[in-house]
Amino acid sequence: MSRDVLSKRPALRRLVYKAMAFVAGRLPMPFTRILSVIVSSLMWALDPRGRKAVACNLAHFIPASCPEARSRAVRHAYRSFAAQLSEGLRIDRLPDWYLAADRLALIDPWRVFARRPLAGPAILVTVHSNWELMLAATHRLRLIEQVEAISLSHGDPAIDHLFERKRGQVGCRSLLLDRAPLAALRALKAGRILGILADRDYTGNGVRVPFAGHSMVLPLGPAALAAQTGAPIIPMYLVRTGPTSFGLIVDKPLHADPALPKQHQVVSLTEQLANVLTRFVAAAPSQWVAFHDAWRS
């Protein structure tokens, strides 16, 4: 069923999301994984435009000399997306073993979380890769008590509420993008922790910086907020290391340089952040959710 059909029929779209959430939350995890493999295979087979876009994106990370590896990565990207969607729809009902200590490794060389929970203000940033599950992981490890995450609306208050309710069970409160600028600034000034997906500019007001050897427009929000408030930007990345094992990587915090003009601070911080995010995606390119031309404005 195409996304165009669902977008034109909000009641049907709402029903599909609720059905997916019900199935994801009620089936045992092994069966959910099997179902996600079946669904992802159908998605891959029926989406030639998406396959082409994913292949173009992965070309920035997998050399042309490895066409078979790139082809496998494209197919794995669909499987990874289906797994991430099923996990996101049940982050409030994950079995205890799924993110147990022997399956979830915290890689924190800069000792950002030496003291838990992390005290704000701070800006946690990541990419579109296992981001919903990362909320559950930080909650399970008690790294933070509460995060306010900037979220893109699904265009339907009922669907937004569905995700808000599930995220709330893992210590996350959503700030919809259209209300985020002022709310995010207030949250940081109040000493709270903010969460931002920093690899995609949804507002059209981003800054163009080098990314994986080419230029990409990234949102200026993380850098602008850091320059305004002095809060550190903490890059984090949840990578799947096996069928049911994960690594939570915490990179070096980035700080604004108050000696620079605000505009230069924003550009410099965004360039530094782009370098970190490039490394994140390169570590597991097929886990990056990007079914569009990511380098096109």
Side-chain angles (χ1 to χ4, degrees):
M1 184 176 299
S2 72
R3 285 171 290 183
D4 290 338
V5 171
L6 292 181
S7 64
K8 293 175 182 177
R9 301 179 66 179
L12 178 60
R13 187 166 182 259
R14 194 177 306 133
L15 179 62
V16 168
Y17 267 92
K18 287 184 176 180
M20 289 192 300
F22 179 84
V23 171
R26 299 305 189 280
L27 280 181
M29 205 68 191
F31 289 101
T32 302
R33 292 189 58 80
I34 293 171
L35 183 60
S36 70
V37 170
I38 295 172
V39 171
S40 66
S41 297
L42 290 173
M43 291 167 58
W44 175 85
L46 300 174
D47 188 21
R49 183 182 299 179
R51 293 199 305 269
K52 182 178 180 180
V54 173
C56 289
N57 291 333
L58 294 182
H60 294 268
F61 302 98
I62 302 174
S65 59
C66 304
E68 292 183 3
R70 190 184 300 173
S71 178
R72 287 195 302 270
V74 170
R75 188 157 191 164
H76 189 271
Y78 279 83
R79 183 174 297 182
S80 177
F81 169 69
Q84 291 181 45
L85 179 60
S86 66
E87 290 161 347
L89 287 167
R90 66 178 298 162
I91 57 172
D92 58 331
R93 300 176 65 93
L94 288 171
D96 291 339
W97 60 265
Y98 201 67
L99 291 175
D102 60 335
R103 298 173 184 268
L104 175 60
L106 176 64
I107 305 166
D108 184 13
W110 302 97
R111 295 183 58 78
V112 173
F113 293 101
R115 298 182 62 181
R116 306 179 191 179
L118 180 70
I123 305 167
L124 308 182
V125 299
T126 191
V127 297
H128 285 74
S129 178
N130 302 301
W131 69 97
E132 297 280 359
L133 192 62
M134 194 178 85
L135 294 173
T138 56
H139 182 73
R140 185 70 60 87
L141 293 174
R142 299 182 180 178
L143 303 183
I144 53 176
E145 285 186 344
Q146 178 80 27
V147 62
E148 304 198 18
I150 296 177
S151 305
L152 186 68
S153 173
H154 289 82
D156 186 321
I159 298 175
D160 290 339
H161 178 71
L162 172 68
F163 280 93
E164 172 72 14
R165 179 170 50 80
K166 292 181 175 296
R167 291 169 183 156
Q169 297 300 311
V170 293
C172 176
R173 174 174 172 262
S174 298
L175 300 177
L176 293 182
L177 184 63
D178 57 349
R179 307 170 192 166
L182 186 55
L185 187 60
R186 286 175 175 168
L188 290 173
K189 288 187 174 180
R192 296 196 288 272
I193 296 175
L194 196 66
I196 302 177
L197 289 166
D199 61 324
R200 206 158 297 166
D201 175 38
Y202 289 111
T203 66
N205 299 317
V207 55
R208 185 171 289 278
V209 294
F211 191 97
H214 293 76
S215 64
M216 177 187 285
V217 177
L218 293 184
L220 54 78
L225 289 167
Q228 286 181 280
T229 65
I233 297 175
I234 303 175
M236 298 177 64
Y237 183 50
L238 183 72
V239 61
R240 193 183 303 271
T241 56
T244 57
S245 60
F246 305 89
L248 181 56
I249 302 169
V250 185
D251 212 281
K252 181 181 180 180
L254 305 176
H255 298 269
D257 184 354
L260 296 176
K262 284 287 194 298
Q263 184 176 358
H264 291 178
Q265 290 182 44
V266 171
V267 173
S268 175
L269 273 174
T270 306
E271 288 176 342
Q272 294 176 57
L273 183 57
N275 288 333
V276 178
L277 300 185
T278 298
R279 287 192 279 106
F280 282 172
V281 176
S286 63
Q287 294 182 36
W288 187 36
V289 177
F291 292 89
H292 67 294
D293 185 347
W295 274 260
R296 185 175 180 180
S297 298

